[in-house]
Coordinates of all heavy atoms in Angstrom, one line a residue:
A75 N 27.5 49.2 44.8 CA 28.9 49.1 45.0 C 29.6 48.5 43.6 O 30.6 48.7 43.4 CB 29.3 48.4 46.2
G76 N 28.8 47.6 43.0 CA 29.2 46.9 41.8 C 28.6 47.6 40.6 O 28.7 48.8 40.4
T77 N 27.9 46.8 39.8 CA 27.3 47.3 38.6 C 25.9 47.7 38.8 O 25.1 46.9 39.3 CB 27.5 46.3 37.5 OG1 28.8 46.1 37.2 CG2 26.8 46.8 36.2
T78 N 25.5 48.9 38.3 CA 24.1 49.3 38.2 C 23.6 49.1 36.7 O 24.1 49.5 35.8 CB 23.9 50.8 38.6 OG1 24.2 51.0 39.9 CG2 22.5 51.2 38.4
Y79 N 22.6 48.1 36.6 CA 22.1 47.8 35.4 C 20.4 48.1 35.4 O 19.8 47.6 36.1 CB 22.3 46.3 35.1 CG 21.7 45.8 33.8 CD1 22.3 46.0 32.6 CD2 20.4 45.1 33.8 CE1 21.8 45.5 31.5 CE2 19.9 44.5 32.7 CZ 20.6 44.7 31.5 OH 20.0 44.2 30.3
V80 N 20.1 49.0 34.5 CA 18.7 49.5 34.3 C 18.3 49.2 33.0 O 18.9 49.7 32.0 CB 18.5 50.8 34.8 CG1 17.0 51.3 34.7 CG2 19.0 51.1 36.2
A81 N 17.3 48.3 32.6 CA 17.0 48.0 31.3 C 15.4 48.0 31.2 O 14.7 47.3 32.0 CB 17.6 46.7 30.9
L82 N 14.9 48.4 30.0 CA 13.6 48.2 29.7 C 13.4 47.9 28.2 O 14.2 48.4 27.3 CB 12.7 49.4 30.1 CG 13.0 50.8 29.8 CD1 12.4 51.1 28.4 CD2 12.6 51.7 30.8
T83 N 12.4 47.1 27.9 CA 12.1 46.7 26.5 C 11.2 47.7 25.8 O 11.5 48.1 24.7 CB 11.5 45.3 26.4 OG1 12.4 44.4 27.1 CG2 11.4 44.8 25.1
R84 N 10.1 48.0 26.4 CA 9.2 49.0 25.8 C 8.6 49.9 26.8 O 7.7 49.4 27.6 CB 8.1 48.2 24.9 CG 7.6 49.0 23.9 CD 6.8 48.2 22.9 NE 5.4 48.4 23.0 CZ 4.4 47.4 22.9 NH1 4.7 46.2 22.5 NH2 3.1 47.7 23.1
G85 N 9.0 51.1 27.0 CA 8.5 52.0 28.0 C 9.4 53.1 28.1 O 10.4 53.3 27.4
D86 N 9.3 53.9 29.2 CA 10.2 55.0 29.5 C 10.8 54.8 30.8 O 10.4 54.3 31.7 CB 9.4 56.3 29.4 CG 9.1 56.7 27.9 OD1 10.0 56.8 27.2 OD2 7.9 56.9 27.6
L87 N 12.0 55.5 30.9 CA 12.8 55.6 32.1 C 12.9 56.9 32.7 O 13.1 57.9 32.1 CB 14.3 55.1 31.8 CG 15.2 55.1 33.0 CD1 14.9 54.2 34.1 CD2 16.7 54.7 32.6
F88 N 12.5 57.1 34.0 CA 12.6 58.3 34.7 C 13.4 58.0 36.0 O 12.9 57.3 36.8 CB 11.2 58.8 35.1 CG 10.2 58.8 33.9 CD1 9.3 57.7 33.7 CD2 10.3 59.8 33.1 CE1 8.5 57.7 32.7 CE2 9.4 59.8 32.0 CZ 8.5 58.8 31.8
L89 N 14.6 58.6 36.1 CA 15.5 58.3 37.2 C 16.2 59.5 37.6 O 16.7 60.2 36.7 CB 16.3 57.2 36.7 CG 17.3 56.4 37.8 CD1 16.4 55.7 38.8 CD2 18.1 55.4 37.1
N90 N 16.4 59.6 38.9 CA 17.2 60.8 39.4 C 18.7 60.5 39.3 O 19.5 61.4 38.7 CB 17.0 61.2 40.8 CG 17.8 62.3 41.4 OD1 17.8 63.4 40.8 ND2 18.5 62.0 42.5
L91 N 19.2 59.3 39.8 CA 20.5 58.9 39.8 C 20.7 57.5 39.6 O 20.1 56.5 40.2 CB 21.2 59.2 41.2 CG 22.5 58.8 41.6 CD1 23.5 59.4 40.7 CD2 22.7 58.8 43.1
A92 N 21.7 57.2 38.7 CA 22.2 55.8 38.6 C 23.8 55.8 38.8 O 24.4 56.5 38.2 CB 21.9 55.2 37.2
E93 N 24.2 55.1 39.9 CA 25.6 55.1 40.4 C 26.1 53.7 40.6 O 25.4 52.8 41.1 CB 25.6 55.9 41.6 CG 27.1 56.1 42.2 CD 27.2 56.9 43.4 OE1 26.2 57.5 43.8 OE2 28.4 56.9 44.0
G94 N 27.2 53.4 40.1 CA 28.0 52.2 40.4 C 29.4 52.3 39.9 O 29.7 53.2 39.3
K95 N 30.1 51.1 40.1 CA 31.4 51.0 39.5 C 31.3 51.2 38.0 O 32.0 51.8 37.2 CB 32.0 49.7 39.7 CG 33.1 49.7 40.9 CD 33.7 48.3 40.9 CE 34.6 48.4 42.2 NZ 35.2 47.2 42.7
A96 N 30.3 50.5 37.4 CA 29.9 50.6 36.0 C 28.5 50.9 36.0 O 27.7 50.3 36.9 CB 30.2 49.4 35.3
V97 N 27.9 51.6 35.0 CA 26.5 51.9 34.9 C 26.0 51.5 33.5 O 26.6 52.0 32.4 CB 26.1 53.3 35.2 CG1 24.6 53.6 34.9 CG2 26.5 53.6 36.6
L98 N 24.9 50.6 33.4 CA 24.5 50.3 32.1 C 23.0 50.7 32.1 O 22.2 50.2 32.9 CB 24.6 48.8 31.9 CG 26.0 48.2 31.6 CD1 26.7 48.1 32.9 CD2 25.9 46.8 30.9
V99 N 22.6 51.5 31.1 CA 21.3 51.9 31.0 C 20.7 51.7 29.6 O 21.3 52.3 28.7 CB 21.1 53.6 31.3 CG1 19.6 54.1 31.0 CG2 21.6 53.9 32.7
K100 N 19.8 50.7 29.5 CA 19.5 50.2 28.2 C 17.9 50.3 28.0 O 17.2 49.8 28.8 CB 19.9 48.7 28.1 CG 21.4 48.6 28.1 CD 21.8 47.1 27.7 CE 23.3 47.1 27.6 NZ 23.7 45.8 27.0

Side-chain angles (χ1 to χ4, degrees):
T77 299
T78 294
Y79 177 78
V80 181
L82 53 88
T83 302
R84 205 164 106 212
D86 285 304
L87 174 63
F88 310 99
L89 191 60
N90 179 55
L91 169 68
E93 179 178 352
K95 260 188 187 172
V97 175
L98 291 76
V99 176
K100 297 188 170 194

